[in-house]
């Protein structure tokens, strides 16, 4: 079972070292913009559903 941790660490390290050099600032910026848009849309849909499902007093 000790090899399991070593295997996981090695796999993660290899993955990280193969992905990090291929990231560009444009990719990071695009990810930030898409995450922001997704959060705003999610918040808006939540408010809309809350409004539609609330009982009128």
């Amino acid at each position: 079972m000790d090899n399991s941790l070593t295997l996981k660490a090695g796999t993660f390290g290899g993955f990280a070292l193969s992905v990090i050099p291929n990231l560009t600032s444009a990719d990071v910026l695009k990810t930030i913009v898409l995450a922001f848009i997704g959060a705003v849309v999610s918040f808006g849909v939540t408010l809309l559903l809350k409004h539609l499902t609330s009982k009128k007093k």
Side-chain angles (χ1 to χ4, degrees), residues 3-34:
N3 290 338
S4 178
L5 181 59
T6 305
L7 179 64
K8 289 177 184 176
T11 302
F12 177 74
F15 173 76
L17 289 175
S18 66
V19 170
I20 290 173
N22 294 319
L23 288 178
T24 62
S25 59
D27 291 334
V28 174
L29 181 62
K30 185 178 8 173
T31 301
I32 291 170
V33 169
L34 290 174

